Amino acid sequence: MTTIRLITKINAPVQTVFYLSRNIDIHKLSISKTKEVAVAGVTSGLINLNESVTFRGKHFGLYQTHTSKITAMEIPHYFVDEMTKGRFESFRHEHTFVEKNGKTAMIDTIEYRTPFGILGKLFDKVILKRYLTKMITERNQFLKDLAEEHQQDQPKDRNALNPELGVIKTSIEG
């Protein structure tokens, strides 16, 4: 099993970061390089406990699908998505959010197993782990920028982020 652990420090309240992290529309924007779209399950807005989403995106030159289900959630500090269908033998992504003095540490712990025995392990060691780390790091930077931009806009427009609806006026709606 391979484990990737990333910590992203964000100058925004935990609720903002938590809701942005569960927003399917934000996810699609954050990894737009992969042409990822939600094709089944929850395809827009916030995903909740026991709900699933299937994404279709281009990775390594091939279109692939990945279905995940939210298997645990403690609002606004924690949620887990686990693969139910996809290319991995197993894939589990734990999202933890810790707030201190109005700032949030977003902690991603990803555990996965590759198929294809020794060839899968070699592919993981040489290419896959680095690829996934870069993809999640870029996604986290997008979330950080969006959350911190919202904080700067806060005095001007207190309704810019409606966590319950997953609506973000700044950056998305203009």
Side-chain angles (χ1 to χ4, degrees):
M1 178 172 299
T2 302
T3 301
I4 299 170
R5 188 164 191 268
L6 300 169
I7 300 173
T8 307
K9 294 180 181 176
I10 303 174
N11 188 18
V14 69
Q15 292 87 352
T16 299
V17 180
F18 181 78
Y19 286 106
L20 287 174
S21 297
R22 292 177 32 239
N23 188 300
I24 301 298
D25 302 303
I26 299 300
H27 179 80
K28 291 184 285 190
L29 288 172
S30 72
I31 58 169
S32 60
K33 288 181 189 177
T34 66
K35 299 180 179 12
E36 201 146 309
V37 293
V39 296
V42 178
T43 59
S44 186
L46 295 177
I47 191 163
N48 292 298
L49 183 62
N50 296 320
E51 293 180 334
S52 295
V53 59
T54 300
F55 284 105
R56 182 175 187 266
K58 197 169 194 176
H59 301 275
F60 305 110
L62 302 170
Y63 279 99
Q64 302 186 36
T65 59
H66 181 99
T67 303
S68 287
K69 180 178 182 178
I70 304 299
T71 58
M73 184 179 295
E74 182 185 315
I75 299 171
H77 301 288
Y78 178 79
F79 73 95
V80 175
D81 65 84
E82 295 186 64
M83 183 191 79
T84 58
K85 191 184 288 185
R87 295 275 183 173
F88 292 89
E89 224 173 77
S90 66
F91 191 97
R92 183 176 193 273
H93 186 169
E94 199 174 292
H95 308 255
T96 305
F97 307 87
V98 179
E99 183 177 17
K100 186 173 182 181
N101 300 323
K103 298 179 186 197
T104 302
M106 180 171 64
I107 305 160
D108 292 278
T109 306
I110 301 161
E111 298 176 328
Y112 63 90
R113 288 188 200 283
T114 55
F116 309 120
I118 191 76
L119 291 176
K121 288 179 183 175
L122 182 61
F123 176 71
D124 182 37
K125 187 172 186 133
V126 174
I127 297 170
L128 184 59
K129 183 175 182 180
R130 189 173 333 137
Y131 175 83
L132 289 174
T133 301
K134 183 177 186 236
M135 187 174 78
I136 299 299
T137 300
E138 288 173 358
R139 177 183 187 276
N140 289 355
Q141 185 63 51
F142 183 92
L143 291 174
K144 174 183 171 65
D145 293 345
L146 194 56
E148 290 178 353
E149 176 183 314
H150 169 67
Q151 286 310 107
Q152 292 172 356
D153 290 344
Q154 194 75 18
K156 292 182 256 175
D157 185 0
R158 292 198 173 275
N159 295 315
L161 175 66
N162 181 334
E164 290 77 22
L165 299 175
V167 174
I168 297 181
K169 291 182 184 173
T170 57
S171 299
I172 295 173
E173 297 177 359

